[in-house]
Amino acid sequence: MSAMTTGNSTRADVNRRRILDVALAELLRDPDASMDQIARAAGVVRRTVYGHFPSREALISTLVDDAVQALADAHAAGREGVADPAEAVARSVLAIWPIADRYRLLVALAQRTVTMEGIRERLAPVRTACADLLQRGFDQGVFSSPLPAPALAHVHEQILFALMEAVNDDLLPAHEAGRSAAVTVLAAAGVPAALADTLVARLAH
């Protein structure tokens, strides 16, 4: 590959990343932002945006992919090297919540285009990792639930989505949501509320 080709590729990658970053900001500010608006905000012509993303739906879908990857990375980092399943769950939720909070309005927007089924398909690896962690907690007697681990992982996912919507609807202060999410998820896994609250408070500080 020639140096010129490499330079063009690098410039294209930089343009694509800039368009995505600007698109996220614009869509969070105005969920109905058009491709024209996004192009203007990014300082490029509309043709450049369409050169990377053939439609608004494709752009939003890519943003959702980015969000899911960020969530997966945070979830893995939060639980890495943590032996206690309850602490691992709490740390993973606390780690992913800032990501979820950043993208929560995008998730609401994406439901119009990507659909929740599409979002859930993208989250399947995270859900599997969560189920494995929950099963470890069951095996160690840390967690207790009438649900098997894969089903409880689905419940945990829906709890987080519901809390994102609660913040969007001004039912829960954003600055409290991360800790609330971690305590709620632990309680759903059978950890006594007082113990869950103490653990999350310690980790949050």
Side-chain angles (χ1 to χ4, degrees):
M1 183 180 292
S2 69
M4 181 176 293
T5 302
T6 302
N8 289 339
S9 175
T10 301
R11 187 163 58 250
D13 291 341
V14 170
N15 277 344
R16 184 177 185 275
R17 184 68 259 167
R18 173 167 172 71
I19 290 167
L20 285 171
D21 290 342
V22 170
L24 177 61
E26 288 296 302
L27 288 167
L28 295 184
R29 183 183 61 79
D30 175 12
D32 296 316
S34 67
M35 294 289 265
D36 281 342
Q37 287 175 255
I38 291 168
R40 285 195 301 271
V44 298
V45 297
R46 185 175 66 169
R47 184 177 61 189
T48 300
V49 177
Y50 278 107
H52 292 285
F53 308 101
S55 67
R56 187 173 182 273
E57 289 72 24
L59 174 58
I60 293 173
S61 181
T62 302
L63 285 171
V64 171
D65 286 340
D66 281 359
V68 169
Q69 186 59 56
L71 286 171
D73 292 346
H75 187 267
R79 67 179 190 277
E80 183 177 4
V82 181
D84 175 53
E87 181 173 338
V89 166
R91 285 186 181 277
S92 67
V93 174
L94 289 171
I96 68 172
W97 189 262
I99 311 296
D101 188 56
R102 181 187 180 203
Y103 287 104
R104 60 188 163 82
L105 292 175
L106 174 66
V107 170
L109 171 65
Q111 290 176 32
R112 306 183 201 170
T113 53
V114 181
T115 76
M116 279 306 295
E117 182 178 355
I119 294 171
R120 289 184 63 253
E121 287 176 0
R122 288 167 166 81
L123 285 170
V126 177
R127 198 161 49 246
T128 298
C130 181
D132 292 343
L133 178 54
L134 291 170
Q135 186 60 57
R136 180 153 61 91
F138 286 151
D139 294 343
Q140 295 180 17
V142 175
F143 299 143
S144 174
S145 172
L147 299 174
L152 186 57
H154 275 270
V155 171
H156 282 185
E157 181 179 290
Q158 293 306 308
I159 286 173
L160 295 178
F161 277 127
L163 289 176
M164 290 165 70
E165 291 181 7
V167 175
N168 286 344
D169 293 340
D170 294 325
L171 300 175
L172 178 67
H175 68 277
E176 295 179 6
R179 288 178 57 172
S180 298
V183 172
T184 302
V185 164
L186 285 172
V191 177
L195 183 60
D197 192 58
T198 299
L199 172 60
V200 172
R202 175 172 62 82
L203 296 177
H205 290 295

